[in-house]
Amino acid sequence: PGFRFIEQDLLDLDAVVGHFEAFRPERVWHLAANSDISFGTTYTDFDLKGGTLVTYNVLEAMRRTGTAKELIFSSSGAVYGEPVVHPTPEDYGPLFPVSLYAASKLACEGLITAYAHNYDIQAWIFRFGNIVGPKPTHGVIHDFVLKLMKDPSRLEMLGDGTQAKPYVDVDDCLDGMMFGRAHARAQVTCYNLAVEDRTSVNEIEDVVIRAMGLDPVAVEIRRGESSRGWRGDVPFVNLDTSRMKALGWAPRLNSRQAVERCAEAVAAQFMGRDLK
């Protein structure tokens, strides 16, 4: 009963301010961003607009109206770039992102901390692992299912399959954000929101094939030559989760379990659907 959905271009600052003035929110969950990292490589201003400038507009609307004093922000482990310390802690630096998406997220973090200190805003920044769950719109699991539905006899992957990252179930992600907001009381806090284990693309390939009821032996796997799936991709991600653990939070599913849950949901979603 208390929910209202508004579809709005967040690049329209006046409109965003108008919504803040109308609803007078006390807390903002800022999850808006380009969710496909490779897309920003082609359209180089996409992350600048949909990430950095949108974040500025949200913060500016908070400042102008004055009622919203809490901001919960979805950042990314991609801000670390290709770190030499594993697992990578939140205080690792310097940060050298390798994608325009990650560069935008890092710029957003800077804007948030500056606004927080200048306009008495409390902010929680969460650097995600790879978030997966039912009904995705893209990503390796989604893509593998669609490819295998078109041709169950072979699967072509981006990269050589050794890429390995922590996959976080979407329910765990939301739970972790809510837990962090409830228990961290500093003016600005930053947490890696991930799991301790990682899942490789080779493992995901096997999980998806089995989720679709196919015989792994009967599927020809065509791998790329590089460990990097695309320009801007970070092949190996290993985030230090000790800060969230010390806060008292733990994920319900590990990386492998999150991948399996997602694969089963996506396979069930598309099985029997005409993809033409």
Side-chain angles (χ1 to χ4, degrees):
F3 176 82
R4 179 173 175 184
F5 175 76
I6 299 171
E7 185 173 352
Q8 175 64 56
D9 182 357
L10 293 176
L11 287 172
D12 186 340
L13 177 58
D14 290 338
V16 175
V17 172
H19 293 311
F20 272 70
E21 290 175 339
F23 294 101
R24 312 296 290 180
E26 298 176 358
R27 181 181 307 134
V28 177
W29 290 70
H30 178 16
L31 309 176
N34 164 32
S35 58
D36 189 346
I37 295 177
S38 61
F39 193 77
T41 304
T42 302
Y43 303 96
T44 55
D45 64 347
F46 198 78
D47 291 297
L48 171 67
K49 293 176 179 177
T52 310
L53 296 183
V54 159
T55 297
Y56 166 77
N57 286 355
V58 170
L59 290 165
E60 184 64 5
M62 293 175 69
R63 182 190 72 83
R64 292 189 190 183
T65 53
T67 59
K69 291 297 184 180
E70 295 186 1
L71 176 68
I72 300 161
F73 179 64
S74 56
S75 188
S76 170
V79 299
Y80 297 112
E82 297 181 297
V84 295
V85 176
H86 295 285
T88 310
E90 290 87 345
D91 59 1
Y92 175 85
L95 300 180
F96 295 138
V98 299
S99 68
L100 295 174
Y101 166 85
S104 172
K105 285 294 187 183
L106 187 55
C108 292
E109 291 188 9
L111 284 171
I112 289 168
T113 60
Y115 264 80
H117 286 287
N118 281 279
Y119 305 110
D120 299 320
I121 295 171
Q122 188 174 6
W124 294 263
I125 297 170
F126 294 95
R127 293 173 175 170
F128 294 167
N130 280 34
I131 310 302
V132 293
K135 299 183 179 179
T137 59
H138 66 281
V140 61
I141 299 171
H142 173 273
D143 293 348
F144 278 2
V145 170
L146 295 188
K147 287 179 179 179
L148 286 168
M149 288 196 67
K150 291 180 179 179
D151 186 352
S153 67
R154 68 178 183 180
L155 178 62
E156 184 174 343
M157 63 174 62
L158 300 177
D160 62 9
T162 61
Q163 310 98 296
K165 304 175 184 182
Y167 289 82
V168 185
D169 183 81
V170 64
D171 290 341
D172 280 333
C173 176
L174 293 172
D175 179 70
M177 295 176 80
M178 289 186 285
F179 189 94
R181 183 263 156 195
H183 292 84
R185 305 314 310 164
Q187 184 174 14
V188 177
T189 53
C190 178
Y191 292 97
N192 288 335
L193 207 170
V195 293
E196 293 186 352
D197 61 323
R198 290 151 304 287
T199 308
S200 71
V201 174
N202 285 329
E203 293 175 281
I204 294 173
E205 156 240 304
D206 182 70
V207 168
V208 170
I209 289 173
R210 295 180 187 278
M212 296 182 68
L214 301 174
D215 180 2
V217 178
V219 180
E220 176 191 359
I221 307 299
R222 297 185 176 182
R223 297 177 173 85
E225 296 181 357
S226 171
S227 63
R228 196 185 304 275
W230 59 86
R231 284 185 179 270
D233 180 33
V234 179
F236 181 77
V237 178
N238 182 15
L239 301 178
D240 186 342
T241 60
S242 57
R243 278 193 186 178
M244 283 293 289
K245 185 184 296 185
L247 202 61
W249 181 80
R252 178 176 54 92
L253 302 180
N254 62 27
S255 182
R256 173 79 180 206
Q257 291 168 333
V259 167
E260 290 174 342
R261 177 176 182 248
C262 180
E264 290 169 1
V266 177
Q269 175 187 353
F270 286 113
M271 294 299 280
R273 178 179 295 184
D274 186 358
L275 297 178
K276 295 181 180 179

